[in-house]
Amino acid sequence: MLRHLLPALLSALLSAMMAAPAPVRAQEAVMPVQHIPLPGSGPDGTPPLPMAGRTTVWAQRAGLALTWEAVPLKRSLQELARNERPFCVLGLFDTPERRRFARFSLPIHQEEQQVFIAARRAEATLRSIGSAREAVLSSPLSLLVYDGVAYGGQLDDWIAQRRPPPVRASAGASRLSTMLARGHADFSIGVASELRDLQRQGVADAGDLVSVLLPGMPSPPRRHLACSLKVPPAWLQRFDAQVRASPPP
């Protein structure tokens, strides 16, 4: 009887072990993951972003422990470039420049379609422009971009070629609605849901903004976990294995 039950018991035990999160290896340090400061973070510092929740689950399944740090994006990029310690940054775009000082995970988030966020006074002029490329390169309107923020390969190329250069502001320190509504610039690049959230929250000046999608706007980019070169490749391989097994929507 026992001889017949043993294979079934072993099979059930193996299935349970595969379903459970892998144990964190005792000798491994907890990996800091930086994210832009956001209101509403959880008790452990987890930012209120779907990709943060997914990142936590993938790490747990891989047996990797994380800790969260709220850090302005520009400072995170500077620290990645210095490469003084192992850590990762949540939700960065993969660009050739950043590949010089960071390792990237598989995509953890598909970005929403980008649009132009414009002051209402500039809407008619912006809509009269024939394409997204023309708007970024040679628009009669002034473009606002944020230091350290990547908008995706094609948009970043257009921004670099723009003459006159765009107006630049500090990410996280300058409110988009205020900058546009008060004439510091005429339009910026974002996503429509971002504008809807500002308007729903009653943020000052957000009601004076509109979203505009022009022909030729690049397809939405994907976000990744970007890690310093001191993070062992094996750490990212274990994380990526879980992303591959349960990819983001």
Side-chain angles (χ1 to χ4, degrees), residues 224-244:
H224 305 254
L225 202 61
C227 298
S228 71
L229 298 180
K230 287 193 180 296
V231 173
W235 191 97
L236 265 177
Q237 289 167 6
R238 288 167 59 190
F239 180 81
D240 282 346
Q242 297 305 317
V243 177
R244 195 176 292 110

Side-chain angles (χ1 to χ4, degrees), residues 61-110:
R61 290 175 177 173
L64 303 169
L66 307 179
T67 185
W68 296 94
E69 300 177 350
V71 179
L73 177 60
K74 189 173 183 179
R75 204 167 85 203
S76 292
L77 293 172
Q78 291 170 342
E79 189 174 355
L80 279 175
R82 290 197 302 270
N83 193 37
E84 295 174 346
R85 65 172 178 136
F87 78 102
C88 299
V89 182
L90 179 73
L92 293 193
F93 294 147
D94 183 350
T95 68
E97 178 187 4
R98 291 173 178 176
R99 278 195 169 270
R100 292 189 289 106
F101 53 76
R103 293 190 176 99
F104 287 84
S105 72
L106 291 174
I108 61 172
H109 179 72
Q110 174 67 63

Side-chain angles (χ1 to χ4, degrees), residues 174-186:
S174 303
R175 181 171 285 176
L176 175 68
S177 55
T178 300
M179 294 284 287
L180 296 182
R182 299 188 182 181
H184 297 288
D186 296 309

Side-chain angles (χ1 to χ4, degrees), residues 136-139 158-166:
V136 174
L137 283 176
S138 58
S139 170
W158 294 345
I159 291 169
Q161 298 170 40
R162 181 182 168 92
R163 295 294 180 273

Side-chain angles (χ1 to χ4, degrees), residues 115-119 121 135-136 139 141-147 149 151 159 162 164-171 174-181 183-190 194 209:
V115 298
F116 295 124
I117 306 295
R121 65 175 185 280
V136 174
S139 170
L141 304 172
S142 56
L143 171 66
L144 170 69
V145 298
Y146 287 98
D147 282 334
V149 172
Y151 293 91
I159 291 169
R162 181 182 168 92
V167 176
R168 293 192 174 272
S170 298
S174 303
R175 181 171 285 176
L176 175 68
S177 55
T178 300
M179 294 284 287
L180 296 182
H184 297 288
D186 296 309
F187 74 111
S188 186
I189 300 167
E194 175 187 3
L209 307 183

Side-chain angles (χ1 to χ4, degrees), residues 104-133:
F104 287 84
S105 72
L106 291 174
I108 61 172
H109 179 72
Q110 174 67 63
E111 191 64 40
E112 185 182 335
Q113 175 63 60
Q114 290 162 296
V115 298
F116 295 124
I117 306 295
R120 197 173 296 278
R121 65 175 185 280
E123 179 181 7
T125 302
L126 186 60
R127 291 190 185 278
S128 70
I129 297 172
S131 70
R133 180 179 183 276

